[in-house]
């Protein structure tokens, strides 16, 4: 512990004194090809706890398994870690030696460099290198880079299959091949589930809109759908297609001689209108004064009979869609709007965060 403290204090004094008082090198790093790199123990020990423990045993460090140029870039980044040029130098080094630097920063626990390597490799990832980077991400405990590789494989698996990395995995790493194939299957299932949920949400929104139009037709007397007709009504409905379709269903239901047999599926249009009346009754909280036909009768019938779970779930989903629709149509309060306008003078990232936070009010 005494030697380690002396090295850290020596590096601190070196930084305070400036580069004109650089002491002579006292460590030699040997790479895989036998070449050596001179270095200072104070720099290495202050940058990596692993290198610090190695220096307690020997002044000759062997860094093997990566090219000599990559080790040189690694040592240079350790020297520049506390300088203003570290960000630029790290970016250039990651572009040239990204995979080797990720392995070195993981092995010697240089966390700031490991984060830069993960971000750089993720930004420059391609389908041809996806499997090679994926294998390295597993070995170096880089979960974000690991997930980025898997997502790229799922997005362009045809191109990944043409790469040498995929052919190597198929021959020598069946566990990784199985992991990739399972991820592809789960991704396909997620896409199907997402599409199904989107379709269901669209259906619930349409039913919510139909309930609003039904209320509009029977309470405000909307008998014309503008602008399809030449004359604009006093209270034109803004949901043209839904309102017009409902009016056609209502006219058919009023004149159809088989509407009393709707429950037996004799008339498809009447059965659909019958279900809309029932859905409205399930959502209506004032059946006694409601002007929509059969609202009170359906409400009394539902109280007498046990409603099945599927219908209750549908009513709940439509009610939720109505609430979300009303929130989306709500205007931003004046106080919030003024506060948001004051924030427009701040930096763009903060403005984007404010806009995202208030988007649900629109």
């Amino acid at each position: 512990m005494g030697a380690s403290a002396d090295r850290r204090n020596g590096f601190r004094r070196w930084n305070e004194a400036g580069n004109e008082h650089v002491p002579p090198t006292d460590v030699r790093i040997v790479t895989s090809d036998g070449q050596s790199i001179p270095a200072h123990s104070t720099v290495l020990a202050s940058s990596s706890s692993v290198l610090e423990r190695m220096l307690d045993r020997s002044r000759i460090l062997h860094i093997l398994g990566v090219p000599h140029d990559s080790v040189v870039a690694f040592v240079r980044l350790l020297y520049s870690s506390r300088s203003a040029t570290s960000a630029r130098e790290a970016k250039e080094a990651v572009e040239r030696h990204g995979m080797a630097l990720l392995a070195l920063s993981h092995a010697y626990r240089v966390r700031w460099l490991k984060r830069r390597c993960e971000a750089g490799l993720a930004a420059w990832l391609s389908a041809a290198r996806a499997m090679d980077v994926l294998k390295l991400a597993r070995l170096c405990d880089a979960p974000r880079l690991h997930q980025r590789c898997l997502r790229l494989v799922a997005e362009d698996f045809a191109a990944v299959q043409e790469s040498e990395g995929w052919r190597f995995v198929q021959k020598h790493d069946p566990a990784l091949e199985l992991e990739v194939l399972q991820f592809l299957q789960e991704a396909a299932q997620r896409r199907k589930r997402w599409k199904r949920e989107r379709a269901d949400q669209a259906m619930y929104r349409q039913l919510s809109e139909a309930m609003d139009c039904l209320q509009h037709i029977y309470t405000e007397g909307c008998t014309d759908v503008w602008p399809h007709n030449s004359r604009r009504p006093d209270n034109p409905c803004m949901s043209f297609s839904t309102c017009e379709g409902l009016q056609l269903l209502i006219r058919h239901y009023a004149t159809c001689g088989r509407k009393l047999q709707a429950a037996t599926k004799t008339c498809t249009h009447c059965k659909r209108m019958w279900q809309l009346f029932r859905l409205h009754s399930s959502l209506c909280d004032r059946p006694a004064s409601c002007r929509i036909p059969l609202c009170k009768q359906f409400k009394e019938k539902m109280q007498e009979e046990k409603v099945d779970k599927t219908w209750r779930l549908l009513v709940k989903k439509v009610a939720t869609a109505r609430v979300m629709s009303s929130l989306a149509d709500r205007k931003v309060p004046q106080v919030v709007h003024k506060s948001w306008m004051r924030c427009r003078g701040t930096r763009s990232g903060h403005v984007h965060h404010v806009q995202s936070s208030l988007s649900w009010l629109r």
Side-chain angles (χ1 to χ4, degrees):
M1 291 299 292
S4 300
D6 292 340
R7 282 193 290 264
R8 287 193 293 269
N9 293 332
F11 184 62
R12 188 181 303 110
R13 289 192 297 269
W14 177 9
N15 277 344
E16 294 173 354
N19 292 335
E20 63 272 10
H21 298 91
V22 175
T25 59
D26 56 350
V27 176
R28 190 160 56 92
I29 300 175
V30 181
T31 59
S32 297
D33 57 0
Q35 300 186 59
S36 63
I37 304 171
H40 296 84
S41 60
T42 54
V43 176
L44 302 182
S46 63
S47 302
S48 167
S49 59
V50 177
L51 291 175
E52 184 179 15
R53 289 193 295 270
M54 294 172 65
L55 288 169
D56 291 336
R57 297 190 297 268
S58 174
R59 293 301 172 119
I60 300 178
L61 305 180
H62 294 270
I63 299 181
L64 311 176
V66 295
H68 174 79
D69 293 343
S70 299
V71 181
V72 172
F74 176 67
V75 175
R76 285 179 177 173
L77 289 174
L78 296 184
Y79 272 80
S80 64
S81 61
R82 289 171 173 81
S83 66
T85 59
S86 61
R88 185 182 69 254
E89 292 182 3
K91 181 179 179 181
E92 295 175 355
V94 170
E95 289 179 0
R96 297 179 181 179
H97 314 283
M99 297 183 67
L101 288 177
L102 177 60
L104 290 172
S105 61
H106 172 71
Y108 297 103
R109 297 184 182 179
V110 185
R111 295 180 179 179
W112 69 268
L113 181 57
K114 183 178 179 180
R115 290 193 297 269
R116 290 180 185 272
C117 292
E118 289 186 58
L121 289 173
W124 305 317
L125 193 62
S126 63
R129 300 178 57 194
M131 295 307 302
D132 296 329
V133 178
L134 178 60
K135 289 184 292 184
L136 182 62
R138 292 178 66 196
L139 294 174
C140 295
D141 189 22
R144 293 184 179 179
L145 182 60
H146 184 270
Q147 286 298 316
R148 177 69 184 92
C149 293
L150 287 176
R151 287 196 298 268
L152 179 61
V153 171
E155 292 171 2
D156 195 4
F157 185 58
V160 173
Q161 285 181 302
E162 300 297 327
S163 64
E164 291 291 336
W166 176 251
R167 286 190 282 269
F168 179 86
V169 167
Q170 285 183 308
K171 292 180 181 179
H172 305 287
D173 198 342
L176 182 57
E177 180 186 9
L178 178 61
E179 179 185 354
V180 171
L181 294 178
Q182 288 178 343
F183 182 84
L184 292 175
Q185 183 180 9
E186 293 172 358
Q189 293 175 350
R190 284 194 298 269
R191 284 194 295 269
K192 291 180 180 178
R193 184 167 59 251
W194 178 79
K195 290 181 179 179
R196 184 170 61 251
E197 290 176 354
R198 287 290 300 270
D200 291 343
Q201 292 298 325
M203 180 192 68
Y204 298 142
R205 286 194 298 268
Q206 291 174 358
L207 288 174
S208 173
E209 185 178 342
M211 295 298 99
D212 293 337
C213 289
L214 196 65
Q215 187 78 21
H216 172 66
I217 290 171
Y218 279 97
T219 57
E220 300 180 13
C222 180
T223 56
D224 294 324
V225 182
W226 185 81
H228 297 293
N229 299 322
S230 57
R231 184 180 64 83
R232 175 173 178 170
D234 297 333
N235 297 311
C237 182
M238 302 306 296
S239 304
F240 306 128
S241 58
T242 304
C243 193
E244 186 177 33
L246 271 177
Q247 290 182 46
L248 292 175
L249 273 178
I250 291 171
R251 294 191 186 103
H252 171 83
Y253 184 80
T255 58
C256 181
R258 296 179 296 173
K259 60 177 175 290
L260 297 178
Q261 301 175 353
T264 61
K265 300 183 181 181
T266 304
C267 179
T268 305
H269 299 297
C270 292
K271 184 177 184 297
R272 187 174 304 168
M273 193 69 240
W274 190 274
Q275 291 173 340
L276 290 175
F277 283 145
R278 183 189 177 193
L279 180 60
H280 163 77
S281 178
S282 300
L283 296 169
C284 183
D285 55 353
R286 292 179 297 176
S289 59
C290 184
R291 296 184 180 182
I292 297 180
L294 305 177
C295 181
K296 184 178 180 180
Q297 289 83 344
F298 272 119
K299 184 71 71 173
E300 293 175 351
K301 185 176 181 180
M302 284 186 291
Q303 292 176 354
E304 296 175 358
E305 300 177 358
K306 185 177 180 181
V307 182
D308 59 283
K309 295 182 179 179
T310 304
W311 183 262
R312 287 202 302 269
L313 180 61
L314 174 64
V315 173
K316 182 179 179 181
K317 294 291 187 179
V318 175
T320 304
R322 297 187 75 180
V323 173
M324 297 303 295
S325 179
S326 63
L327 289 176
D329 295 337
R330 183 185 300 178
K331 294 183 179 180
V332 178
Q334 189 67 19
V335 175
V336 178
H337 180 70
K338 290 181 179 179
S339 176
W340 175 74
M341 292 300 292
R342 286 196 298 268
C343 293
R344 295 189 65 179
T346 60
R347 53 192 176 93
S348 59
H350 180 64
V351 172
H352 176 72
H353 174 71
V354 172
Q355 290 174 335
S356 301
S357 301
L358 300 180
S359 60
W360 67 275
L361 291 173
R362 291 185 174 86

